[in-house]
């Protein structure tokens, strides 16, 4: 038997028995942690806030064998204002579910944890459109999970690819990167044809890779198709259906 203290965010919960709740915590140093919050659904329970989705704070867990119980939580942010904006809330739940799908028990994921917290903060307290925040998050998410999109050279032949105004670029979702014009033409005859995108979309994707979350507050316009492309790219690589994806507008 032991006590564990860790920073974490609630990425999933499910009611259990009459007043309890099972929670899935995302910890930067412990990865995925399953725990039970006993009595948290009682109106005056000190664990009521700690068992809510998106609650971030310092959790104290009691561990006995393979079971963990939430003893207390010093809440640092509940991102509560998201609940008053349906669009921003659905984007926040989408990011959270993607992280919940990626983390593993005992696996450190500090950079992904910070990416999620900072993205949720932008959605909650920032002015940038929700789709822009999600697009930037998805690029960072893909990079941290090992499938960073290749945007400088053709994924088939290695030739340099430069965006030209007025001309479409091509992105191969399965291969994970851009195609030069000859390879794109050849791929059009095959199953799983590449996705046509604007040159401006390719420029924006490259800017994300260079600036990360700092791009959220920049004036560089984001073409509407950017989020569609990144969602298809990331969701193609997840090992399960992301249920909150259908809620996005």
């Amino acid at each position: 038997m032991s006590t564990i203290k860790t920073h974490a965010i609630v990425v999933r919960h499910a009611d259990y028995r009459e007043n309890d709740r099972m929670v899935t915590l995302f910890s930067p140093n412990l990865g995925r942690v399953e725990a039970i919050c006993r009595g948290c659904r009682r109106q005056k329970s000190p664990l009521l806030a700690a068992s809510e989705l998106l609650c971030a704070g310092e959790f104290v867990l009691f561990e006995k064998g393979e079971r963990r119980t939430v003893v207390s939580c010093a809440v640092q942010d509940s991102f509560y204002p998201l609940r008053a904006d349906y669009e921003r809330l659905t984007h926040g739940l989408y990011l959270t579910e993607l992280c919940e799908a990626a983390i593993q028990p005992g696996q450190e994921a500090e950079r992904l944890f910070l990416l999620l917290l900072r993205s949720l903060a932008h959605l909650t307290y920032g002015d940038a459109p929700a789709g822009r925040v999600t697009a930037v998050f998805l690029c960072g998410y893909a990079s941290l999970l090992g499938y960073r999109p290749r945007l400088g050279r053709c994924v088939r032949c290695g030739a340099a690819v430069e965006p030209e105004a007025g001309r479409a670029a091509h992105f191969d979702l399965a291969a994970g990167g851009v195609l030069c014009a000859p390879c794109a033409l050849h791929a059009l005859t095959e199953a799983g044809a590449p996705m046509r995108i604007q040159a401006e979309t390719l420029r924006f994707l490259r800017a994300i890779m260079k600036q990360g979350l700092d791009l959220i507050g920049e004036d560089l316009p984001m073409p509407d198709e950017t989020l569609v492309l990144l969602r298809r790219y990331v969701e193609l690589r997840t090992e399960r259906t992301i249920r909150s994806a259908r809620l996005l507008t």
Side-chain angles (χ1 to χ4, degrees):
M1 295 183 292
S2 61
T3 300
I4 303 171
K5 183 181 290 186
T6 182
H7 289 281
I9 181 171
V10 179
V11 294
R12 188 177 184 181
H13 64 41
D15 292 343
Y16 178 66
R17 293 179 177 172
E18 185 176 353
N19 294 304
D20 303 339
R21 180 171 280 170
M22 299 296 299
V23 295
T24 300
L25 304 176
F26 177 10
S27 164
N29 57 312
L30 300 176
R32 183 189 186 98
V33 179
E34 306 288 350
I36 185 169
C37 282
R38 297 195 184 279
C40 65
R41 293 163 60 202
R42 294 191 180 98
Q43 188 173 3
K44 296 183 179 180
S45 171
L47 294 177
L48 181 62
S51 66
E52 293 292 338
L53 200 61
L54 303 181
C55 173
E58 187 176 56
F59 288 77
V60 177
L61 308 173
F62 176 74
E63 185 176 51
K64 183 178 180 180
E66 296 183 355
R67 291 190 172 186
R68 288 167 173 168
T69 303
V70 177
V71 176
S72 65
C73 175
V75 177
Q76 296 170 338
D77 202 335
S78 63
F79 303 103
Y80 189 80
L82 280 181
R83 291 158 175 79
D85 187 317
Y86 178 80
E87 180 187 13
R88 300 180 88 80
L89 175 61
T90 55
H91 278 263
L93 295 177
Y94 177 66
L95 307 190
T96 303
E97 189 176 354
L98 281 172
C99 288
E100 192 258 328
I103 56 177
Q104 299 297 323
Q107 182 181 67
E108 293 187 8
E110 183 175 359
R111 293 178 66 187
L112 181 59
F113 180 80
L114 292 175
L115 175 65
L116 176 60
L117 287 187
R118 291 185 63 191
S119 299
L120 288 174
H122 277 289
L123 285 172
T124 307
Y125 308 112
D127 297 324
R132 187 181 183 93
V133 177
T134 298
V136 174
F137 170 89
L138 288 173
C139 271
Y141 177 90
S143 297
L144 291 174
L145 267 60
Y147 45 90
R148 179 186 179 96
R150 288 169 284 176
L151 305 171
R153 293 184 174 275
C154 176
V155 293
R156 293 199 178 198
C157 70
V161 176
E162 293 299 331
E164 299 180 35
R167 291 190 59 183
H170 294 84
F171 190 95
D172 190 321
L173 292 167
V178 294
L179 297 174
C180 65
C183 287
L185 183 62
H186 178 72
L188 288 174
T189 65
E190 303 174 355
M195 184 174 175
R196 290 171 59 90
I197 60 174
Q198 304 173 51
E200 290 75 14
T201 301
L202 181 53
R203 290 195 188 95
F204 191 84
L205 291 174
R206 290 182 177 180
I208 296 177
M209 290 305 179
K210 184 177 180 180
Q211 298 177 242
L213 289 172
D214 292 337
L215 184 64
I216 290 176
E218 297 290 332
D219 294 331
L220 183 65
M222 185 185 88
D224 292 339
E225 66 182 2
T226 307
L227 182 57
V228 176
L229 167 66
L230 289 171
R231 282 187 56 194
R232 289 180 61 186
Y233 178 66
V234 168
E235 291 171 25
L236 182 67
R237 286 159 175 78
T238 56
E239 297 181 354
R240 73 180 200 197
T241 300
I242 305 300
R243 293 174 297 175
S244 56
R246 67 180 184 273
L247 301 176
L248 297 184
T249 54

